[in-house]
Amino acid sequence: MHEPRLWKDKGWTARVIKNDDDEGWAVAMFKEGEPEPALVGPWTMGRDKKNPKPLDVNAFNTLIKTASEVIRRHEQQLHAQLNKSLMVSTDDADYKILLKIIPDEDDPYAYLIAEDAAGEQIAQVKVSPHYKLNRNNALTWIENAFRRPE
């Protein structure tokens, strides 16, 4: 579907809409199957200064690229919020300590994981999703033989 105010192609839909904030126009980009737009931004007025400029293939492709980048950045930010790690050295060994948060709607939780220098997992315990991963807590966990923190 390629209409002046509505394009559907390549798993995306671009819809030119009236901008409620002012007298201009906006464009909303929806990824197929998603209820909320991935991107909403201002849209150019047409030559008559009343109606929006019609969508075209170049604008649509640019919108897809921009909306895809917004989604990618959002996914990276979410991953960083849910996955933390740090390196800890003791007299005996070097460890990578990871905290992986599982954002379950009803009962969120997290896993505290220890890996050795070769990347082999040597311990895993379930902890609160609010567990604070820092150097002191990691060292205490190691010193307590990887028992579940209280």
Side-chain angles (χ1 to χ4, degrees):
M1 179 179 294
H2 299 141
E3 297 175 1
R5 294 188 191 177
L6 179 68
W7 274 54
K8 290 185 179 188
D9 205 348
K10 303 177 184 176
W12 288 90
T13 299
R15 178 174 283 123
V16 177
I17 53 178
K18 190 79 174 127
N19 188 344
D20 294 332
D21 295 337
D22 64 24
E23 296 181 18
W25 294 88
V27 63
M29 284 296 291
F30 292 85
K31 188 168 175 105
E32 192 171 279
E34 295 295 323
E36 297 293 321
L39 173 73
V40 177
W43 190 245
T44 308
M45 296 287 259
R47 289 191 175 147
D48 66 4
K49 303 295 181 204
K50 284 193 244 177
N51 294 305
K53 178 180 164 188
L55 287 163
D56 61 36
V57 68
N58 291 332
F60 185 72
N61 287 336
T62 300
L63 288 166
I64 289 173
K65 183 178 177 183
T66 304
S68 296
E69 180 65 20
V70 167
I71 289 172
R72 189 182 68 75
R73 274 191 254 133
H74 175 73
E75 289 170 348
Q76 285 178 333
Q77 180 183 13
L78 182 60
H79 183 269
Q81 288 174 337
L82 298 176
N83 297 278
K84 301 185 183 327
S85 69
L86 57 86
M87 298 299 294
V88 178
S89 294
T90 67
D91 291 338
D92 300 325
D94 294 333
Y95 300 97
K96 182 176 184 179
I97 308 299
L98 302 99
L99 180 67
K100 294 189 177 202
I101 300 171
I102 313 302
D104 185 275
E105 282 186 32
D106 298 324
D107 186 24
Y109 58 95
Y111 287 112
L112 189 59
I113 301 165
E115 294 178 352
D116 63 16
E120 295 293 320
Q121 182 174 312
I122 56 174
Q124 176 176 304
V125 294
K126 192 173 182 179
V127 295
S128 162
H130 306 293
Y131 181 85
K132 298 291 180 211
L133 180 59
N134 59 41
R135 182 170 170 71
N136 288 338
N137 289 346
L139 284 170
T140 300
W141 185 48
I142 294 166
E143 290 165 0
N144 288 325
F146 302 104
R147 287 190 297 275
R148 188 173 185 263
E150 298 300 323

